[in-house]
Every structure is written in C-alpha cells, then in structure tokens.
Amino acid sequence: VEVPVPMTQEHHIHVPTVMQHERTQHFHVEEFVDIPIEQHVEEIVQVPVVQHVERIVHNPVDLMVEVPRPVIIEKTVEVPKIQIEEKTIKVPKITNFVVDTIVQDQI
C-alpha cells in the first residue's frame, strides 16, 4: 500500500510589516492682512471765491533823458543915471505974524 507523502510547496506570502513614520500635522492658520481699499467718501467742501483786485506796482526803470543845459546869456542894459538937481529958493523970513479974527454973533 502506498502512502502518499505530502509534498512541500513554496508559497510566497506577503506579510505586511509595521513601520514607524512621523506623522505630518496640518495646521490651519488664518492671517489677516490690511489691504487698502479705495473708498469714495462724499464731503461738502466750501470753495473760496476768487476776488480779482487790481494793484498798481511801481517798477523803477533806469531811463536816460537828455536835459538841455541852461545857457547863461549876458545882456547889458543901460539905465539912465539919476541926477539930482538942486535949486536954491529964497523964502522971505517972517518977522511979524498977524492973525485976523472975525467974530460973528448968531442969534
């Protein structure tokens, strides 16, 4: 009688191995950044009224002007010479002084 002999067969079995890995952690960080946003704000502004004022401003300027030199003219004018005439008049000398008086009566 023949007894069957068990046959050994090779089988490759993949056996998982446990390996230690570092665990990666995810952190969620919120970051607020100030971004300037253009804003339109309406504002009532008083505009000053422009007033036109005329002013006279003296602007000195050098100006060459010919001025005639005064000319001295000499003239000789003959003036008649004043002559004093002397006359001797003989006046009689009064020695007696007689006064006539008239008296009138009034009524």
Side-chain angles (χ1 to χ4, degrees):
V1 155
E2 269 190 30
V3 177
V5 179
M7 288 181 55
T8 58
Q9 288 183 342
E10 284 188 18
H11 285 288
H12 289 291
I13 299 176
H14 185 64
V15 176
T17 60
V18 176
M19 295 177 62
Q20 292 290 330
H21 288 289
E22 269 192 50
R23 188 170 175 181
T24 58
Q25 294 179 350
H26 295 285
F27 294 105
H28 292 285
V29 177
E30 288 187 32
E31 187 175 344
F32 295 106
V33 179
D34 273 352
I35 301 173
I37 300 174
E38 193 174 309
Q39 296 179 353
H40 296 292
V41 178
E42 290 188 8
E43 185 178 352
I44 297 176
V45 178
Q46 290 185 354
V47 179
V49 179
V50 177
Q51 294 181 355
H52 295 288
V53 176
E54 290 188 14
R55 286 186 354 179
I56 296 175
V57 178
H58 294 292
N59 188 8
V61 179
D62 290 342
L63 187 65
M64 300 292 290
V65 178
E66 289 187 18
V67 177
R69 256 181 64 198
V71 179
I72 298 175
I73 301 174
E74 290 185 5
K75 279 183 163 180
T76 306
V77 178
E78 290 187 11
V79 179
K81 187 176 175 183
I82 298 175
Q83 293 180 353
I84 300 175
E85 292 182 12
E86 290 186 6
K87 274 183 157 180
T88 306
I89 301 174
K90 292 186 177 184
V91 178
K93 188 176 179 182
I94 300 174
T95 54
N96 285 337
F97 190 72
V98 177
V99 178
D100 289 336
T101 56
I102 300 174
V103 178
Q104 289 184 353
D105 290 330
Q106 289 185 345
I107 302 180

